[in-house]
Amino acid sequence: MSIFLNNFTRVMTLIMKIALLRASFSFSVTSWWRTVKRNNDVGGLPKSLHLKGLALDIVLDNLEDDEEFKAAAGDLGIHVYKEDDHLHCYERSFV
């Protein structure tokens, strides 16, 4: 049970931080908590944080907000990097 609660707390922390970013930036979450099948289908890594709900992919409505979003996320402890057509986000303490 403690493993579940630890992961739940981490997921909720990430959600709260993403909600704070959502107050300042318009974006859509395109991928979050994946099943193993979905992760394999999209070419995700075998130990992807998506499998634990600890990473998410977003697409900004205004692509020009890219650097500003990365800076704001960084201030909250969220690492963001560009992958093809989306931004991949995870909390630095999760890796």
Side-chain angles (χ1 to χ4, degrees), residues 5-6 8 10 20-21 27 30-31 35 42 44-45 54 57-61 63-64 66 69 72 85-86 89 92-93:
L5 289 177
N6 182 43
F8 178 78
R10 294 167 76 188
L20 288 171
L21 290 168
F27 59 85
T30 58
S31 183
T35 63
V42 299
L45 298 172
L54 299 175
D57 299 332
I58 67 155
V59 175
L60 293 165
D61 287 349
L63 298 178
E64 294 175 6
D66 189 3
F69 179 86
D85 61 347
H86 65 273
C89 309
R92 288 187 186 105
S93 65

Side-chain angles (χ1 to χ4, degrees), residues 14-75:
L14 180 61
I15 289 170
M16 288 187 303
K17 290 180 178 184
I18 293 300
L20 288 171
L21 290 168
R22 188 67 174 86
S24 300
F25 299 92
S26 182
F27 59 85
S28 297
V29 175
T30 58
S31 183
W32 175 36
W33 209 322
R34 297 179 188 157
T35 63
V36 172
K37 180 183 181 327
R38 175 69 180 153
N39 194 58
N40 290 338
D41 289 349
V42 299
L45 298 172
K47 294 186 178 186
S48 171
L49 290 174
H50 286 281
L51 296 170
K52 296 179 180 181
L54 299 175
L56 54 105
D57 299 332
I58 67 155
V59 175
L60 293 165
D61 287 349
N62 182 357
L63 298 178
E64 294 175 6
D65 287 343
D66 189 3
E67 292 305 316
E68 189 177 345
F69 179 86
K70 287 180 187 178
D75 289 344

